[in-house]
Amino acid sequence: MAIPNGYNTVPNFRYFEDIAAGVGSIGTTYYVDGNAGADTNDGLSWEYAFKKLSVAMAASHANIAAGATGWASRNRIFVKADAITEDLVLLAQKTDVIGVGSMDWRHKAQIVGNHVIPNTAETHGCRFFNLEFIGPAAGGDLWTLTDQHGVEFIDCDFLATSTTPATGAILATACVDLRVERCRFMGAYSDAVMEIGAGQADGLVIEGCFVQGANTGVEISGSATFAAGRYGMIRGNVFATTGACIVD
């Protein structure tokens, strides 16, 4: 099987393993070039790439829902950019967002913003690979997810290194099957780096991460619920936090 354009720049992530094993059901591929793209393009090649990730997200989300051929598919969005600055308010269902190329000396595309995905947007099954998330100069939380199931962050960096450090990296409330694997959380987060809020948290996985912060590493609400046989797993992480590593 030929390696798709951009994979030679991406190290060690499970998505490539899925492809090699034939378990990834591939639909449409979109492209985002934060430096040279245009949102008036169709986003279906690097030559005609979108400029904003939000535009690609909306296109992929609609594509999956458009008909029976998309319902069981999984789309891809390749992203390259020195930095894309926008606050995401919608994910893309059943879509893998993959950073390629480089940002300075790092082999990731950078996304700057405070991303709030409410429970009114059902965009389940969105996965992020090889991306760098950083807050704006004013700080705030990087990701706030409510009732979004099957969201995954794999081999991503979360930076609290802006003028005002980010408050937290991931705040997830009532999110089933949230997975955070092999990610780095760096900087002086002023609150819990990852916070699991009230409601269903079945299938939570936080594994193989480096977690740095000026407060707590992982905080799990007393109102978070786990169904029998669907408990969460936090293992193999390194914590360098001022407060407790894990609070439940």
Side-chain angles (χ1 to χ4, degrees), residues 27 59-75 93-95:
S60 182
H61 186 74
N63 175 266
I64 288 288
T69 58
W71 296 342
S73 294
R74 176 162 287 278
N75 288 350
Q93 61 184 325
K94 301 179 181 181
T95 297

Side-chain angles (χ1 to χ4, degrees), residues 139-142 160 165-169 171 189-193:
D141 296 315
L142 300 185
T167 308
L171 280 68
Y189 290 97
S190 58
D191 202 350
V193 178

Side-chain angles (χ1 to χ4, degrees), residues 172 192 194-199 201 204 206 216-226 232-234 245-248:
M194 286 175 274
E195 185 173 333
I196 308 303
L204 169 70
I206 302 173
T216 302
V218 179
E219 180 178 315
I220 302 176
S221 169
S223 299
T225 60
F226 297 86
M233 178 178 70
I234 301 175
C245 298
I246 303 171
V247 173
D248 62 353

